[in-house]
Structure formats: structure tokens, C-alpha cells
Amino acid sequence: MADIETKIITTLFNLFKQTKSIKRVVKGENLKRAGFKEALNWLQSETPWISITPDLMLFYEDYSVRTDEPIIVAIETKYLKTETKGKWREVFRQIGQPLRNLIFGFNSVVLWHLFAAGIDDEKIKKFTDICEEVITKLNLPIVYLATKITNDELRIYKPWDIKSQNIDYIASSIKEMCSKKINPLLYDQEVIKRRRAIKTALNIP
């Protein structure tokens, strides 16, 4: 991962920690060090060949149920800092990347395209329109978010075209969007074990 992308993920991590709607935020890389594989072994489940590597994991309270089971969201970010066509094609080809996280028991997965401040609005709109069309028409269980980084706020392009908003708005919007894009694998027994392993490794009740 490029240094600038690492910095952006760290910035988002720090911003999300300050929001009221998120119970906890974790960098995906931290899960590898938290004993995820050991937790899977304890639950008598094999570690999948593909590793669990979302950029961020958001934990929300689920007020729709009476249990303490959290809503766990995996976020994959893609940063576009220039208008280089090759990079944009590469990012387009990776639309389905967040789907791999579904087998680990996340409630929902988010694909978040972040654009640098200097990129033309019309080019962003054309690119995000086709990305949204692919996800919508294929009925992929992915929440799609596209924003431009503008000073201390984020200009939103998808799923709405609205002016800049702060991170609290983004955090609450992600939860709302995820309530309509639920992981269809949550009742699979192996997926349930992997979800339990995530919670065990991170000391989540």
C-alpha cells in the first residue's frame, strides 16, 4: 500500500474514533496481530486461504435487536490522487474486491472511493456513475461510497450528490446504508465461526 493511502486510512481511523455513532474502529492490519488465527483454531475452524484485510472495521450498536451483538462493517478504500486512466481502470476492475470480506461474517461491506481535491468533478461523476451501475444492476451486496477530500470535510458523490459533510454524517450514513445491504452469508456456520473469531481476537463481547 502506498504511503499516501496508509496516511489516509490512518486519518479516517482517527476521525472515526471521534464520532458518536461508532462504538469502535479497528484497522484491518491489527486483526492479524490480535490472534485471529488462534481464535479460529480454538473454534475448530480452518483459516481461509485468503487473509482478512479490510482497511477499516467499524463496530456499531445494533438497536434493532435485544442482544449485544454489534453491527460489524468492513471498509475497503481506494484513493485516486490523479486523473491517470490506467489507475482508474485498475480501480474499476477491483469493484468486487470487498466481496471477499463477506465470508468472514461482517454484517456489510463498503467500497469507498476517495478522490484528491484537484480532480475534476465531471470526471468523478462519470466514473462513479458506472461503478454504481455495475454494483446496482448486478445486485452486489456492496455499499458504494464516493467522496472527494476537501479540507476537513468530504464532498459526497455517491450514493448522493451533496455538498461537503463532516465525518459524523459519513459515519451515521454508512450505518444506514449498511442496514439495506446485509451480508447474505450470515447464517452459514463457517461464516458464523469466523465472525466469532474476529470478536474473540478483538475482545468484543
Side-chain angles (χ1 to χ4, degrees):
M1 184 180 296
D3 288 343
I4 183 64
E5 293 175 337
T6 301
K7 289 179 180 178
I8 288 172
I9 291 169
T10 298
T11 298
L12 292 174
F13 170 79
N14 291 329
L15 288 172
F16 278 131
K17 284 177 65 177
Q18 301 171 27
T19 62
K20 297 178 180 179
S21 60
I22 296 176
K23 183 178 180 181
R24 185 174 174 184
V25 55
V26 178
K27 290 183 180 180
E29 61 185 22
N30 291 346
L31 191 59
K32 296 179 181 179
R33 300 192 292 267
F36 175 67
K37 290 183 178 180
E38 291 77 6
L40 276 177
N41 291 334
W42 182 75
L43 292 167
Q44 298 181 338
S45 177
E46 293 185 4
T47 304
W49 173 76
I50 189 167
S51 62
I52 177 172
T53 54
D55 293 318
L56 293 171
M57 294 178 286
L58 307 182
F59 293 78
Y60 294 90
E61 295 277 6
D62 187 358
Y63 298 110
S64 66
V65 296
R66 295 182 180 179
T67 65
D68 292 329
E69 191 69 20
I71 296 171
I72 313 176
V73 177
I75 295 184
E76 294 277 358
T77 62
K78 300 295 178 185
Y79 177 62
L80 295 112
K81 65 179 179 179
T82 65
E83 298 178 11
T84 305
K85 288 185 178 180
K87 176 63 176 179
W88 288 44
R89 288 196 188 98
E90 178 186 348
V91 169
F92 180 75
R93 289 195 298 267
Q94 295 172 341
I95 283 179
Q97 187 174 344
L99 292 172
R100 65 185 181 182
N101 292 316
L102 294 175
I103 66 169
F104 291 95
F106 293 98
N107 292 78
S108 302
V109 296
V110 176
L111 173 61
W112 189 348
H113 287 163
L114 294 125
F115 298 86
I119 297 179
D120 180 70
D121 279 354
E122 288 305 313
K123 291 184 178 180
I124 293 175
K125 289 177 182 178
K126 288 180 181 179
F127 180 78
T128 56
D129 280 349
I130 192 65
C131 290
E132 183 181 55
E133 182 177 355
V134 169
I135 292 169
T136 301
K137 290 186 176 179
L138 291 177
N139 198 27
L140 299 178
I142 296 174
V143 170
Y144 181 50
L145 180 63
T147 64
K148 177 190 280 188
I149 302 170
T150 57
N151 298 321
D152 295 329
E153 294 190 327
L154 296 164
R155 158 66 161 101
I156 302 174
Y157 296 90
K158 297 292 178 185
W160 317 285
D161 187 1
I162 58 178
K163 301 271 184 177
S164 299
Q165 295 290 340
N166 60 33
I167 198 68
D168 284 294
Y169 181 89
I170 297 291
S172 59
S173 295
I174 287 174
K175 183 181 181 182
E176 176 63 24
M177 290 186 290
C178 286
S179 70
K180 301 171 184 176
K181 288 272 191 174
I182 303 296
N183 183 353
L185 306 177
L186 283 178
Y187 297 101
D188 181 275
Q189 291 304 307
E190 279 302 314
V191 171
I192 290 172
K193 287 182 180 179
R194 292 168 191 150
R195 177 185 174 89
R196 287 179 60 193
I198 291 174
K199 293 171 60 183
T200 299
L202 296 174
N203 294 316
I204 302 292

